[in-house]
């Protein structure tokens, strides 16, 4: 399993003046379901204090509601995303990571420039879990993706592929 730029315990996303997923989701839920222009959403996000990069990414998730492209709607379910994110914040998987069953392999990938807060305690616990897992016939590994923020798949797709491909297996018919 791969865990991309997330810790198994307390979520420490964002910080003073930085974009926080919960705040972004909450703000998006206040917008109308049908939007008249992408620029309107972009400007509203920036005015609300979100970064230009995040605002530009958000509007890529708007699709035309008809052939005239005069209005847009979200490509995702904001209520569902809100529930998923809340579940992520509420879930603590340290017990699982620190007691992996034999044969289970968990890889953590930390983005070098991530806004997600990786506390020293998280890094120490992951490294301790690496040692414990190897003694128990399981495996925990920590990887760092250089030149990437939280959106690892867009910030450094080639680097992400190089790291992930170490776990790919050739399937034979």
């Amino acid at each position: 399993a791969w865990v991309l730029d997330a810790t198994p315990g307390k979520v420490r996303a964002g910080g003073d003046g930085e974009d926080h997923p919960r705040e972004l989701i909450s703000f998006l839920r206040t917008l109308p379901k049908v939007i008249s222009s992408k620029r309107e959403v972009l400007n509203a996000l920036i005015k609300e204090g979100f970064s230009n990069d995040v605002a530009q990414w958000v509007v890529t998730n708007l699709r035309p509601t008809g052939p005239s492209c005069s209005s847009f709607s979200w490509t995702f379910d904001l209520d569902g995303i809100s529930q998923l994110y809340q579940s992520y914040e509420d879930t603590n998987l340290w017990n699982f990571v620190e007691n992996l069953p034999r044969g289970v392999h968990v890889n953590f990938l930390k983005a070098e420039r991530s806004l997600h807060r990786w506390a020293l305690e998280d890094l120490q616990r992951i490294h301790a879990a690496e040692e414990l897992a190897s003694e128990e016939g399981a495996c925990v590994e920590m990887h760092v993706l250089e030149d990437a923020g939280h959106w690892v798949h867009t910030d450094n797709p080639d680097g992400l592929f190089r790291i992930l491909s170490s776990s790919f297996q050739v399937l034979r018919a």
Side-chain angles (χ1 to χ4, degrees), residues 3 16 32 48-50 55 72 74-75 84 88 90 102 105 119 130 151 154 157 170 173:
V3 181
D16 291 337
E48 191 67 20
F50 294 99
F72 300 86
W74 298 109
T75 60
L84 285 170
Y88 164 63
D90 292 345
R102 180 175 295 280
H105 192 151
E130 286 176 326
W151 307 108
T154 59
V170 176

Side-chain angles (χ1 to χ4, degrees), residues 3-15 19-23 25 84-94 114-119 121-122 150:
V3 181
L4 302 181
D5 203 38
T7 60
K10 182 178 180 181
V11 176
R12 296 177 184 88
D19 301 309
H20 191 290
R22 184 179 346 102
E23 293 167 2
I25 294 164
L84 285 170
Y85 187 77
Q86 188 60 52
S87 173
Y88 164 63
E89 281 199 347
D90 292 345
T91 302
N92 186 322
L93 295 172
W94 276 117
S114 177
L115 295 179
H116 180 85
R117 297 286 175 246
W118 288 77
E121 174 193 357
D122 295 327
H150 181 68

Side-chain angles (χ1 to χ4, degrees), residues 23-125:
E23 293 167 2
L24 176 62
I25 294 164
S26 293
F27 180 72
L28 294 178
R29 291 179 78 195
T30 68
L31 298 176
K33 299 252 188 244
V34 177
I35 312 281
S36 59
S37 84
K38 290 184 177 187
R39 174 66 55 192
E40 180 183 312
V41 173
L42 185 76
N43 290 340
L45 286 162
I46 292 170
K47 183 178 178 184
E48 191 67 20
F50 294 99
S51 69
N52 187 56
D53 288 344
V54 166
Q56 287 186 10
W57 170 79
V58 166
V59 298
T60 67
N61 293 288
L62 288 167
R63 66 169 178 253
T65 57
S68 67
C69 295
S70 62
S71 62
F72 300 86
S73 65
W74 298 109
T75 60
F76 45 69
D77 173 5
L78 279 170
D79 291 334
I81 287 175
S82 179
Q83 292 171 8
L84 285 170
Y85 187 77
Q86 188 60 52
S87 173
Y88 164 63
E89 281 199 347
D90 292 345
T91 302
N92 186 322
L93 295 172
W94 276 117
N95 188 49
F96 175 74
V97 171
E98 293 171 336
N99 297 286
L100 286 179
R102 180 175 295 280
V104 173
H105 192 151
V106 177
N107 292 278
F108 288 92
L109 183 126
K110 179 187 179 306
E112 180 182 48
R113 295 183 285 109
S114 177
L115 295 179
H116 180 85
R117 297 286 175 246
W118 288 77
L120 179 59
E121 174 193 357
D122 295 327
L123 298 172
Q124 290 170 335
R125 284 180 83 174

